[in-house]
Every structure is written in C-alpha cells, then in structure tokens.
Amino acid sequence: MDSRIGGDDWGERPETGDQGGKDERFVESFKPLVEFLGSVCGPMTEVALHDTVAPGNPIVAIANGEVSGRRVGVTATDSMLEILHQGLKEKRDYVVGYSMHSAKNDRDLISSAYFIWRVGRIVGMLCINTDQSALEDFRAASQALQGYFPLAQPAASLAEASSCPQGNRSDGDGLPDQENLSASVKSMGKQVIWAMVAKTGRQPDRFNASERFGIICELDKSGYFQLKGAISTIAGQLGLADSSIYRYLHRIHRT
C-alpha cells in the first residue's frame, strides 16, 4: 500500500481538467493539522503549510509564525526549494532533522518537512521548525552556575573527603558513610530511637538495657553528645535519668 496521503501510485497518469484547483483544495485540507501541531508542539515550534504548485510555493497556513517572523503568503526560501527538489529527486515522503536559519532573530532552527503527494507529484509541504535556543541558553547557564558551586558535584563517599570533624567517627575506616544534618538535638535523638522502635517493634519505654546502650553508642559515634543539652534531651526521650546516660557513656569510653 502506498504510504503517501491520497494513495497515489508513481505510475498513475496525471489528472486532466481543473487539476490546479484540485491540488489547491487537497493542500488546504491539511490546514487543520497545522493548528493542531502548533498547539501540541508549543510556541517554540513553527508549523507551516506550503502550496508547492502555486508560484513561489507560498505559505497557505502557519502556526507560531513568530518563530521565524513569517506569515501566510510568504514565498519559500532557497533552502526549502532545495529540500523540495531533494524530495522529488529521491521520491521521499519526508526529511527530518535538517538545519534552517531564522533571519528574524538570527537563530538556527531544527527543521523537518513532510511532502504532500498527489498523482505522482509533490503538491504541498508541511514544515516543522523548532527554535531550541532557549534550551541551549539554559544549558549554558546551568554549566556556568556549576562554577559557582564547585563542591556541588556528587562524591563517591565522604571517606574520600579531605577532612572530617574528629568527633564524627565510625568503626570502619574512621569516617562516617554519610553525613546526617538534623534540624535539632531533639530530632537527632528521635531518629535513632525510632530506628530502634522499627527494629524491635517496641516503644522506647519497653527497651531493655542492651537496646538503650546501643542507642547511646550510636549517638556517641555521631558526635551527638558534643551538642549542648544532648544528655538531658535523650534521657527524657528514653525515660531515664541524666545519671543513667552518664553511666552508659562512661561504660562506652572505658572499653
């Protein structure tokens, strides 16, 4: 089956009579598609329908014409005529991804053309031209912005960093696997406590001595007890006296 709209065969003989009028009406039947594609593709994409039988191959419908500054009635450019010749010579249905230039704003456009065939001839072209300058400007601005934040690049691990606070250690290589920035002393304690709740299925007031000791060990390794008010805060969250926390810490530092 022929893939061209109209179902014309290359060997079909040209029509007689008012062929020009039929060609014009056939091309005009694509006008609703111009508005539709313009809405779908957005304001940075121009959609233009050319009548390639009329003198000058003029635009007969256009959406988002501000991309190139063109309007209905404007004749085809030299580059478009070259694309049209290529389609005729190679008997193609479309050409995609070629470069066009907008004289209005001195910008390059990414263009594609669909050839409208009828009775073995190209009678129209549906051209789609996209201005990607906004995307290119954004990409350039993003690259420039990265220069203001040299440490924003992802690191493989904090173990590769050049320095680490002495009070923030782990049992492995001497550095924490990941830094944890909490909003307050209270929230830091809660994070560790509720991790134990999730692990044991018991509320803090039901923890045994071993579980409470584990919580104090983890907080001590994170440098939690260097923060002001940390001992009283965690004691209250575990339902213990401050003296109990001091005993746990003494046990940790003694071993």
Side-chain angles (χ1 to χ4, degrees):
M1 180 181 293
D2 196 337
S3 63
R4 297 171 192 81
I5 293 179
D8 301 304
D9 185 82
W10 284 101
E12 186 175 342
R13 297 178 60 186
E15 295 181 2
T16 58
D18 186 20
Q19 182 172 324
K22 292 180 180 179
D23 290 340
E24 180 181 358
R25 290 191 294 272
F26 186 62
V27 172
E28 288 182 350
S29 69
F30 286 80
K31 285 185 176 181
L33 188 58
V34 172
E35 184 177 354
F36 168 71
L37 290 175
S39 297
V40 170
C41 296
M44 301 305 292
T45 297
E46 174 188 83
V47 182
L49 177 64
H50 288 263
D51 183 341
T52 60
V53 177
N57 310 126
I59 294 175
V60 295
I62 190 168
N64 305 325
E66 58 274 9
V67 170
S68 69
R70 297 184 299 169
R71 63 186 185 281
V72 171
V74 172
T75 57
T77 62
D78 292 342
S79 55
M80 202 210 86
L81 293 176
E82 183 179 347
I83 295 296
L84 175 60
H85 177 72
Q86 178 183 352
L88 284 168
K89 181 180 178 180
E90 300 177 7
K91 299 181 180 180
R92 302 183 66 170
D93 289 327
Y94 56 83
V95 179
V96 298
Y98 59 91
S99 177
M100 295 282 285
H101 188 77
S102 171
K104 173 191 174 185
N105 48 28
D106 193 29
R107 290 176 175 174
D108 292 328
L109 308 175
I110 304 298
S111 303
S112 300
Y114 180 85
F115 303 117
I116 301 173
W117 291 88
R118 182 175 182 272
V119 197
R121 299 175 302 125
I122 296 178
V123 297
M125 283 179 61
L126 187 63
C127 300
I128 300 178
N129 309 306
T130 301
D131 181 355
Q132 293 187 321
S133 59
L135 180 60
E136 293 169 358
D137 291 345
F138 174 78
R139 185 181 296 114
S142 177
Q143 292 174 349
L145 188 61
Q146 287 180 358
Y148 292 96
F149 302 95
L151 298 182
Q153 303 300 323
S157 71
L158 287 178
E160 298 176 358
S162 59
S163 64
C164 180
Q166 294 298 315
N168 199 7
R169 299 292 186 179
S170 68
D171 292 334
D173 54 13
L175 293 173
D177 293 330
Q178 183 179 29
E179 184 178 7
N180 184 22
L181 302 179
S182 296
S184 66
V185 175
K186 185 176 181 180
S187 63
M188 287 182 67
K190 280 186 175 180
Q191 287 181 4
V192 178
I193 289 173
W194 287 111
M196 184 64 73
V197 169
K199 179 180 179 180
T200 64
R202 295 192 298 275
Q203 293 300 308
D205 59 354
R206 302 290 301 276
F207 290 161
N208 58 37
S210 176
E211 291 161 353
R212 289 195 293 267
F213 181 73
I215 290 172
I216 302 305
C217 284
E218 185 171 348
L219 289 172
D220 183 60
K221 286 189 295 184
S222 70
Y224 172 79
F225 292 106
Q226 297 180 31
L227 303 176
K228 183 179 180 180
I231 289 180
S232 296
T233 300
I234 195 64
Q237 291 173 340
L238 290 173
L240 300 174
D242 290 4
S243 58
S244 297
I245 306 300
Y246 281 113
R247 283 195 297 271
Y248 281 127
L249 290 172
H250 178 69
R251 177 182 169 189
I252 292 169
H253 297 155
R254 184 183 58 188
T255 57

